[in-house]
């Protein structure tokens, strides 16, 4: 038993020596102490305390490097301000401003005395008040300038406290990295002179520049204002505008065809939802809710539709759903096949993923700029903007769902002779159906979130009422229209969620 423990200890010591590379006996002893009980064990690493962020950088613990660097920089800034900082700067500038104002008042007093103006007494009282304020500002400036010792003491105390905390936490963080390194040799290990040099240069730059900026704000103007030229932005903007103009002119046929297709699809959906008798549309929606999610959702759907009708939101709600339906239909029709293609070809998804990130990160209002430039305003533009905003979820969820299909299930299907088409339609898609339907649900809800934004470019519907309420501060009408949009979203969400539950 003793030999087994000895062998285990020797192997552990060998791993520790390989990991730390320097000061091996110390870390053997410290790690052995820390491994005796889970959680934090108190040890002190004075080398880490002295080197501070440089120690964490040399060990490759960069997250702690940044945190400690930030804290120590605050301490060094206080010390720098106390040693050579212009502490009375703001008060001195205030005193100079008061001096200029006081000189102006004295000139006004002299002019009033010559002309015998009735405002002479008021000007004298104002001058007396300015003289008092000037004396106070000058006194406060002198007092602030003399308070440098306080800043130095505070900075030193902060630095000592940070150093103590670093000494107490350094070995704990290193032991945690050692535990991760044992299971994954890609984790950074050892002491690197290159990393130490990088950490030193980074720390010196941050501390020096920050201390100068806060101690002597006027010493280097470049530290406060980024070097730029307004003409650069204007020139780049002109270039982007030229590209837009060329694209619009060259692709006029494509954009006209796109607009015609969007308008035709939208008109077809509006014929079904708007021009069809409202009892028929209402009964179909309620029946769909019942078949999809049950009686409770059907009752809620009926109540929500009654709200839309009784408060005169029916036609606008159906127009909104038509716009949403056109955008969602295109998004889903294009998104699911694209997601299937990306799931089977990771390199393609590596190209598509940044585009999806861009589409999801771009503020919704920004979509309106290129859409209006290429398509113009109106409902087709609203459909395109909504489609761009709502497409990424269905693509991402389709890829995720197909990637989560167990490989063992696919191998079993292939072993029984499944063709690639059979494997996709009878194995992959059924198993990924819940995830894909969650993506469809998110696409529909995100598309509905664009209703108000799309109204800015002429898309009709409930968003128009909300926009008018914002313009005229009609809170009551805005709340009612907002609730109408909410009910539309809830109806669609419950119906789609019901289908995803059935897919389970």
């Amino acid at each position: 038993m003793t030999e087994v423990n000895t062998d285990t200890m020797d192997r552990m010591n060998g791993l520790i020596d390989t990991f730390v590379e320097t000061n091996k006996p110390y870390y053997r002893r410290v790690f052995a102490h820390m491994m005796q009980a889970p959680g934090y064990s108190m040890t002190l690493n004075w080398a880490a305390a002295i080197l501070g962020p440089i120690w964490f950088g040399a060990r490759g613990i960069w997250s702690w490097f940044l945190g400690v660097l930030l804290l120590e920089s605050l301490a060094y800034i206080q010390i720098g301000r106390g040693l050579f900082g212009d502490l009375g700067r703001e008060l001195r500038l205030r005193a100079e401003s008061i001096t200029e104002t006081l000189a102006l008042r004295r000139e006004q007093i002299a002019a009033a005395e010559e002309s015998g103006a009735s405002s002479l007494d008021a000007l004298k009282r104002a001058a007396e008040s300015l003289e008092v304020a000037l004396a106070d500002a000058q006194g406060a400036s002198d007092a602030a300038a003399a308070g440098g010792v306080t800043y130095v003491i505070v900075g030193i105390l902060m630095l000592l406290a940070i150093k103590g905390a670093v000494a107490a936490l350094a070995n704990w963080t290193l032991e945690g990295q050692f535990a991760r390194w044992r299971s994954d040799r890609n984790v950074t290990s050892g002491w690197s002179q290159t990393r130490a040099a990088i950490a030193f240069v980074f720390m010196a730059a941050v501390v020096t520049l920050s201390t100068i900026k806060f101690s002597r704000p006027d010493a280097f103007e470049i530290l406060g204002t980024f070097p730029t030229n307004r003409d650069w932005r204007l020139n780049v903007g002109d270039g982007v505008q030229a590209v837009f103009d060329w694209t619009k002119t060259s692709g006029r046929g494509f954009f006209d065809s796109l607009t015609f297709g969007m308008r035709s699809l939208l008109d077809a959906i509006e014929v079904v939802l708007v021009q069809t008798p409202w009892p028929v549309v209402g009964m179909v929606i309620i029946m769909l809710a019942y078949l999809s999610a049950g009686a409770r959702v059907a009752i809620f759907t009926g109540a929500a539709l009654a709200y839309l009708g009784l408060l005169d939101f029916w036609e606008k709600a159906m127009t909104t759903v038509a716009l949403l339906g056109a955008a969602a239909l295109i998004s889903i029709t294009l998104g699911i096949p694209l997601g299937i293609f990306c799931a089977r070809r990771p390199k393609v998804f590596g190209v598509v993923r940044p585009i999806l990130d861009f589409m999801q990160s771009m503020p919704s209002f920004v979509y309106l700029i290129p859409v209006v430039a290429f398509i113009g305003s109106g409902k087709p533009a609203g459909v395109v903007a909504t489609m761009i905003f709502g497409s990424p979820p269905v693509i991402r969820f389709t890829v995720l769902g197909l990637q989560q299909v167990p490989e063992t299930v696919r191998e079993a299907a292939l072993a029984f002779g499944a063709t690639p088409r059979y494997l996709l339609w009878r194995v992959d898609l059924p198993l990924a159906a819940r995830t894909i339907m969650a993506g469809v649900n998110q696409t529909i809800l995100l598309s509905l979130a664009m209703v108000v934004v799309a109204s800015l470019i002429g898309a009709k519907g409930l968003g128009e009422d909300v926009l008018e309420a914002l313009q005229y501060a009609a809170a009551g009408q805005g709340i009612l229209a907002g609730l109408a949009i909410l009910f539309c979203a809830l109806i669609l969400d419950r119906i789609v969620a019901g289908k995803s539950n059935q897919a389970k």
Side-chain angles (χ1 to χ4, degrees):
M1 185 72 176
T2 304
E3 293 180 357
V4 173
N5 291 336
T6 302
D7 292 340
T8 302
M9 184 177 298
D10 291 340
R11 286 196 298 270
M12 181 61 68
N13 287 335
L15 290 173
I16 294 173
D17 292 346
T18 304
F19 175 76
V20 298
E21 293 184 358
T22 60
N23 205 2
K24 299 174 183 178
Y26 170 78
Y27 286 110
R28 284 185 184 183
R29 185 172 62 255
V30 168
F31 282 13
H33 169 71
M34 298 179 72
M35 292 177 183
Q36 291 178 357
Y40 173 77
S41 297
M42 181 65 178
T43 61
L44 297 176
N45 189 329
W46 296 113
I50 294 172
L51 295 176
I54 300 174
W55 185 90
F56 289 98
R59 291 292 182 185
I61 313 176
W62 292 106
S63 57
W64 281 82
F65 164 80
L66 291 175
V68 176
L69 174 60
L70 175 62
L71 294 176
E72 288 198 2
S73 296
L74 294 176
Y76 285 122
I77 288 172
Q78 303 307 315
I79 295 174
R81 293 182 67 186
L83 291 177
F84 51 85
D86 189 2
L87 301 178
R89 175 178 176 272
E90 294 183 1
L91 293 171
R92 188 179 65 255
L93 293 177
R94 181 169 176 243
E96 292 175 357
S97 176
I98 294 174
T99 301
E100 294 176 358
T101 306
L102 182 58
L104 178 61
R105 291 290 182 270
R106 287 172 177 169
E107 292 178 359
Q108 293 174 344
I109 290 173
E113 289 177 345
E114 293 179 0
S115 61
S118 59
S119 60
L120 179 61
D121 293 338
L123 291 173
K124 288 183 177 180
R125 288 193 298 269
E128 292 174 356
S129 299
L130 289 173
E131 290 174 352
V132 174
L134 176 60
D136 293 340
Q138 290 175 341
S141 176
D142 295 338
V149 177
T150 303
Y151 280 90
V152 173
I153 294 174
V154 170
I156 292 175
L157 292 177
M158 287 177 60
L159 189 60
L160 292 176
I162 296 167
K163 295 291 187 183
V166 168
L169 294 173
N171 290 332
W172 178 67
T173 60
L174 187 62
E175 194 274 335
Q177 181 144 313
F178 172 62
R180 295 189 295 274
W181 175 82
R182 281 187 292 167
S183 58
D184 181 9
R185 295 307 169 90
N186 291 322
V187 174
T188 306
S189 63
W191 175 279
S192 170
Q193 297 294 339
T194 301
R195 291 197 299 264
I198 293 173
F200 173 77
V201 172
F202 195 90
M203 177 182 175
V206 170
V207 172
T208 302
L209 295 177
S210 300
T211 303
I212 293 175
K213 174 63 175 63
F214 286 99
S215 300
R216 294 284 179 177
D218 299 330
F220 299 96
E221 185 178 353
I222 192 174
L223 296 180
T225 304
F226 196 92
T228 186
N229 189 332
R230 182 176 176 83
D231 292 337
W232 297 346
R233 187 180 72 176
L234 296 176
N235 293 334
V236 173
D238 292 341
V240 173
Q241 183 64 46
V243 172
F244 270 67
D245 294 339
W246 178 85
T247 304
K248 184 176 180 179
T249 303
S250 302
R252 183 176 300 277
F254 169 76
F255 292 119
D256 290 343
S257 301
L258 180 64
T259 303
F260 177 76
M262 294 289 179
R263 189 176 298 279
S264 299
L265 177 61
L266 193 58
D267 290 343
I269 298 176
E270 285 188 352
V271 167
V272 176
L273 294 177
V274 179
Q275 298 184 18
T276 302
W278 67 265
V280 176
V281 176
M283 288 188 294
V284 171
I285 294 176
I286 293 173
M287 179 59 68
L288 181 61
Y290 175 76
L291 295 175
S292 176
R296 296 178 61 182
V297 174
I299 294 172
F300 167 78
T301 301
L305 293 176
Y307 173 88
L308 297 176
L310 292 175
L311 295 185
D312 195 26
F313 288 124
W314 181 269
E315 184 173 348
K316 290 187 176 182
M318 294 302 106
T319 301
T320 298
V321 173
L323 187 148
L324 164 67
L329 182 62
I330 297 172
S331 299
I332 295 168
T333 303
L334 298 178
I336 293 179
L338 180 58
I340 294 172
F341 187 76
C342 291
R344 293 292 173 260
R345 291 167 177 80
K347 291 183 179 179
V348 175
F349 187 55
V351 176
V352 173
R353 185 190 291 113
I355 300 175
L356 298 178
D357 294 338
F358 176 81
M359 293 168 65
Q360 289 185 296
S361 303
M362 181 70 71
S364 55
F365 284 94
V366 180
Y367 288 127
L368 305 181
I369 298 173
V371 169
V372 172
F374 295 141
I375 299 177
S377 60
K379 293 181 180 180
V383 172
V384 174
T386 304
M387 182 186 68
I388 296 174
F389 186 73
S391 294
V394 69
I395 301 174
R396 287 185 181 275
F397 275 77
T398 300
V399 174
L400 178 63
L402 293 174
Q403 288 178 343
Q404 290 179 340
V405 173
E407 194 63 30
T408 54
V409 176
R410 303 185 78 251
E411 291 176 356
L414 292 172
F416 280 98
T419 63
R421 178 175 296 181
Y422 183 93
L423 185 67
L424 175 64
W425 289 99
R426 297 303 180 93
V427 178
D428 291 341
L429 290 179
L431 291 176
R434 281 183 57 83
T435 305
I436 295 175
M437 290 306 298
V440 171
N441 183 30
Q442 290 299 307
T443 290
I444 292 174
L445 294 181
L446 285 178
S447 299
L448 194 60
M450 283 288 290
V451 169
V452 178
V453 178
S455 65
L456 292 172
I457 55 176
K460 304 295 182 180
L462 294 172
E464 193 175 27
D465 289 355
V466 176
L467 185 61
E468 289 179 357
L470 289 173
Q471 291 175 339
Y472 299 106
Q477 297 300 319
I479 293 296
L480 294 178
L483 289 175
I485 296 175
L486 172 64
F487 286 139
C488 291
L490 290 176
I491 291 172
L492 294 171
D493 177 61
R494 294 298 182 268
I495 292 175
V496 176
K499 288 183 178 181
S500 65
N501 289 334
Q502 285 185 359
K504 183 177 179 180

